[in-house]
Amino acid sequence: MLDIKMIRTDGEKVKERIRKREMNLDSIVDEILDIDKKRRELTGEVESKKAEQNADSKKIPQLKKAGEDTAPLMERMKALSAEIKEGDAKLAELEEKQKDLLLSLPNLPDEDVCAGGKEQNQPIRYFKEQPKFDYEPKNHVELCEGLGMIDYQRGAKIAGAGSWLYRGWGSRLEWALLNFFVNEHIKDGYEFILPPHMLGYECGYVAGQFPKFGDEVYWIENPTSSDRKFMLPTAETALVNIHRDEILSEEDLPRKYIAYTPCYRREAGSYRAEERGMIRGHQFNKVEMVQYTTEDQSDAAFEELVGKAERLVQELGLHYRLSKLAAGDCSFSMARTYDIEVWIPSMGIYKEVSSASNARDYQARRGNVKYRGADKKLHLAHTLNASGLATSRVIPAIVEQYQNDDGSVTVPEVLRPYLGIDRIEKQR
């Protein structure tokens, strides 16, 4: 959520930065400012009447003691009470309306983030050269099916389109990747978390997914109670709620967490050729990194998260590029995002395996996450996240970039201690 004081101070700048996202919300900003003006004026009026009511209530004992008639004053106090009640009701209505409008505003992109949509994304650097083959290479669907690693047909049979089964070496490769990622993060001092997969509404609200994107998650309702939860779309949604409504100490920041979870997405299931196989699914595995920082630590934490995600892909030996997203391609809650995108040879395109993002204080304001600084004052924390990594696109990149002309796949060196082999071959 944006700071109303910032909007009040420089509404035109807020409008300008939102327009960088290719969104024109000028009318909403104007309405927020109009409501804010009315709310502040009404607050002054109500507070004045409350002060008058308090002063009058102190006069009554004095009048009674002096034997004077208190009826006129009592009548005035009754009228004041009714006016205050009406004013408080109007204030509550204005505050609720203002809050709803504030929730409809996205985070402001950082000043150095380019305006426009994904066509304005900027590649920053590349790692390794695109792999070349002196034979006709196969795509990851053919390779995984041929090696008995993935069963797409039976996955769809039991769970529908956008689902698959890991089998044999596919399951073991998936598990090896997850263990490799987790071990690397633990070495770097991140606390390992296994959060619940079913979350309450407040978690999605704090993360910035609700109320605007409530239809993009899977909801679960208890038929015997009013309990309603949703399946987490990413572990970030849980991790940024760990310190909701808490006051942290500046000495304890940054707080660094990782979590492994499956991720559940309703948006999946496209049948476009470029999203075949495991490229897009309703459920996939991911290790997520989240940091809570002070404002001063925020930029360094972002660079750390980007570097950690890049290092994992580098250690796997995969060709990728790092891209800085334009404002219109950053998610609703984020002020800046860099994507690590691996090369999928059969598609001739790059696919994101990690997004590193800085929400600044946007999520913390929603979640009331603060820290007490050295100045003894309370400040909103900054929250950041990055995938470290999502496996459903790493495996296609591995099998395609490491494939051999006989249909086997060379195992990246860093994963060999986990798998105990250096090549995945078709089982006889």
Side-chain angles (χ1 to χ4, degrees), residues 177 180-181 312-318 394 398 402 412 414-415:
L177 284 166
F180 166 58
F181 298 155
L312 293 175
V313 187
Q314 290 171 4
E315 291 184 4
L316 290 170
L318 297 172
V394 172
I398 287 174
Y402 278 94
V414 75
L415 297 180

Side-chain angles (χ1 to χ4, degrees), residues 263-411:
C263 301
Y264 307 92
R265 305 277 178 92
R266 284 189 61 191
E267 64 180 357
S270 167
Y271 287 94
R272 289 182 294 176
E274 70 173 62
E275 294 180 342
R276 62 183 173 234
M278 300 168 62
I279 296 299
R280 184 176 291 273
H282 292 291
Q283 176 185 326
F284 58 92
N285 293 318
K286 180 156 67 84
V287 176
E288 185 77 5
M289 302 178 279
V290 161
Q291 287 199 32
Y292 292 78
T293 74
T294 67
E295 182 178 356
D296 290 341
Q297 296 166 341
S298 189
D299 289 334
F302 179 76
E303 293 301 325
E304 177 187 317
L305 290 171
V306 172
K308 278 175 58 60
E310 278 195 276
R311 191 172 75 244
L312 293 175
V313 187
Q314 290 171 4
E315 291 184 4
L316 290 170
L318 297 172
H319 168 62
Y320 73 89
R321 73 181 180 192
L322 177 70
S323 295
K324 180 180 181 180
L325 302 194
D329 205 24
C330 292
S331 65
F332 190 79
S333 301
M334 300 303 157
R336 71 188 298 109
T337 297
Y338 285 5
D339 274 2
I340 293 95
E341 304 165 314
V342 292
W343 176 250
I344 308 293
S346 68
M347 299 179 181
I349 56 177
Y350 293 92
K351 279 293 185 179
E352 173 250 317
V353 293
S354 177
S355 282
S357 301
N358 193 334
R360 303 295 179 185
D361 63 11
Y362 187 88
Q363 293 174 324
R365 181 171 281 105
R366 285 173 171 244
N368 192 32
V369 184
K370 297 178 180 179
Y371 66 91
R372 192 173 297 281
D375 57 4
K376 307 303 181 184
K377 295 180 181 179
L378 292 179
H379 306 267
L380 285 168
H382 279 208
T383 56
L384 306 93
N385 70 86
S387 312
L389 300 163
T391 58
S392 60
R393 292 176 180 174
V394 172
I395 286 182
I398 287 174
V399 297
E400 290 200 18
Q401 292 194 32
Y402 278 94
Q403 65 178 293
N404 302 303
D405 59 1
D406 62 357
S408 65
V409 172
T410 300
V411 175

Side-chain angles (χ1 to χ4, degrees), residues 176-187:
L177 284 166
L178 293 169
N179 277 276
F180 166 58
F181 298 155
V182 169
N183 288 341
E184 291 299 300
H185 297 315
I186 290 174
K187 281 187 211 174

Side-chain angles (χ1 to χ4, degrees), residues 121-366:
N121 291 351
Q122 302 171 313
I124 296 175
R125 54 180 171 264
Y126 292 80
F127 178 74
K128 298 183 70 173
E129 298 293 325
Q130 291 182 6
K132 304 297 181 185
F133 304 94
D134 55 9
Y135 57 90
E136 186 64 31
K138 296 178 179 179
N139 63 54
H140 65 277
V141 175
E142 296 175 286
L143 288 162
C144 288
E145 287 182 330
L147 295 171
M149 297 171 62
I150 308 292
D151 192 330
Y152 297 102
Q153 291 185 341
R154 290 187 176 93
K157 179 173 70 175
I158 64 176
S163 302
W164 56 84
L165 286 175
Y166 293 99
R167 303 189 70 162
W169 285 111
S171 300
R172 294 177 67 175
L173 177 59
E174 176 81 358
W175 208 241
L177 284 166
L178 293 169
N179 277 276
F180 166 58
F181 298 155
V182 169
N183 288 341
E184 291 299 300
H185 297 315
I186 290 174
K187 281 187 211 174
D188 290 338
Y190 283 67
E191 181 181 348
F192 186 25
I193 303 287
L194 289 175
H197 296 182
M198 297 185 296
L199 304 177
Y201 181 90
E202 190 74 9
C203 289
Y205 169 83
V206 171
Q209 289 151 352
F210 302 158
K212 189 174 178 65
F213 305 104
D215 60 348
E216 293 183 3
V217 300
Y218 284 106
W219 289 95
I220 299 173
E221 298 192 26
N222 189 330
T224 61
S225 74
S226 60
D227 189 28
R228 187 170 186 251
K229 296 181 179 179
F230 69 97
M231 303 298 291
L232 56 73
T234 168
E236 172 208 340
T237 311
L239 295 179
V240 298
N241 279 273
I242 290 178
H243 296 296
R244 188 175 73 210
D245 295 320
E246 293 182 16
I247 297 175
L248 304 171
S249 170
E250 183 173 355
E251 292 78 22
D252 293 335
L253 297 176
R255 293 281 185 99
K256 302 179 181 183
Y257 300 110
I258 60 158
Y260 155 68
T261 65
C263 301
Y264 307 92
R265 305 277 178 92
R266 284 189 61 191
E267 64 180 357
S270 167
Y271 287 94
R272 289 182 294 176
E274 70 173 62
E275 294 180 342
R276 62 183 173 234
M278 300 168 62
I279 296 299
R280 184 176 291 273
H282 292 291
Q283 176 185 326
F284 58 92
N285 293 318
K286 180 156 67 84
V287 176
E288 185 77 5
M289 302 178 279
V290 161
Q291 287 199 32
Y292 292 78
T293 74
T294 67
E295 182 178 356
D296 290 341
Q297 296 166 341
S298 189
D299 289 334
F302 179 76
E303 293 301 325
E304 177 187 317
L305 290 171
V306 172
K308 278 175 58 60
E310 278 195 276
R311 191 172 75 244
L312 293 175
V313 187
Q314 290 171 4
E315 291 184 4
L316 290 170
L318 297 172
H319 168 62
Y320 73 89
R321 73 181 180 192
L322 177 70
S323 295
K324 180 180 181 180
L325 302 194
D329 205 24
C330 292
S331 65
F332 190 79
S333 301
M334 300 303 157
R336 71 188 298 109
T337 297
Y338 285 5
D339 274 2
I340 293 95
E341 304 165 314
V342 292
W343 176 250
I344 308 293
S346 68
M347 299 179 181
I349 56 177
Y350 293 92
K351 279 293 185 179
E352 173 250 317
V353 293
S354 177
S355 282
S357 301
N358 193 334
R360 303 295 179 185
D361 63 11
Y362 187 88
Q363 293 174 324
R365 181 171 281 105
R366 285 173 171 244

